[in-house]
Amino acid sequence: SIAEADSMVVLSHFKGHGMAGFGGAIKNLGMGCTSKRGKMWQHSASKPEYDAENCILCRKCIEFCPADAITEEEGHILINYERCWGCGACTVLCEQGCFSLPSQWIQKFQKRVAVAAKAALQAVDGRASFMNVLMDITPRCDCCSFAGKPMLEDIGILASRDAVAIDTASYELVCDAAGKDVFHEVHGIYSMVQVEEAEKLGIGTGEYVLESV
Ligand code: SF4
Ligand code: SF4
């Protein structure tokens, strides 16, 4: 297990993410290297809100919700917040845009990802190196069936000993290639909150120099 490892090489596919904005090294450390309890703690920071105005009662959200937290009663969609994991899937899959996550909850989630990332690094006494793959960059997380098609041409593969630097460089390279913040455009989220929080927690530095090999 990671807790018993001497060191880590963190290989991350860099892509969009409905709650973090993007997923890279910090997201992979925070969510990928922690226990089920740790993952739940990060997600439990946020719960979706539902707006019935555009709902067509297609029931996709009910069928998809992994926590069985969404039901329909007499033509109304209801969320059971006691059951909801805060995974955010309903906010992405509802094509009518009926679910949303308030920005303060999203920021809480992003900051918890950074805290969990620090804990994962502490487990190996900081002995970690990182590779971010900037290829097939999908708008949504590649763990879900609705990840979407790649948004731009492949950029390459980055390597660093610093999780903050590699995520900062990855984000800026994608924005430069797209000519805009594509993650904000897709998700309406400022995705660098997780990175800035990680820097505040002492995980690394946002300053970097790119060297081509
Ligand atoms: S997926 Fe959206 S449109 Fe369909 S039932 Fe759920 S909230 Fe309504
Ligand atoms: S956030 Fe996840 S667990 Fe909560 S209602 Fe939406 S799909 Fe279900």
Side-chain angles (χ1 to χ4, degrees), residues 159-181:
S160 175
R161 298 293 304 271
D162 187 316
V164 173
I166 197 169
D167 274 2
T168 303
S170 300
Y171 169 76
E172 291 179 355
L173 282 169
V174 169
C175 290
D176 284 351
K180 58 189 172 185
D181 184 341

Side-chain angles (χ1 to χ4, degrees), residues 19 45-50 81 91 99-110 188-189:
M19 293 177 70
S46 52
K47 307 283 183 189
E49 291 180 349
Y50 167 71
Y81 287 111
T91 65
F99 297 99
S100 60
L101 287 167
S103 62
Q104 70 272 21
W105 284 4
I106 285 177
Q107 286 184 20
K108 203 170 166 188
F109 168 80
Q110 292 168 306
I189 293 172

Side-chain angles (χ1 to χ4, degrees), residues 19 46-48 61 64-70 78-81 83-91 93 99 101:
M19 293 177 70
S46 52
K47 307 283 183 189
C61 54
F64 188 88
C65 175
D68 291 330
I70 306 177
L78 304 173
I79 303 172
N80 181 337
Y81 287 111
R83 295 188 68 94
C84 173
W85 298 346
C87 72
C90 53
T91 65
L93 74 87
F99 297 99
L101 287 167

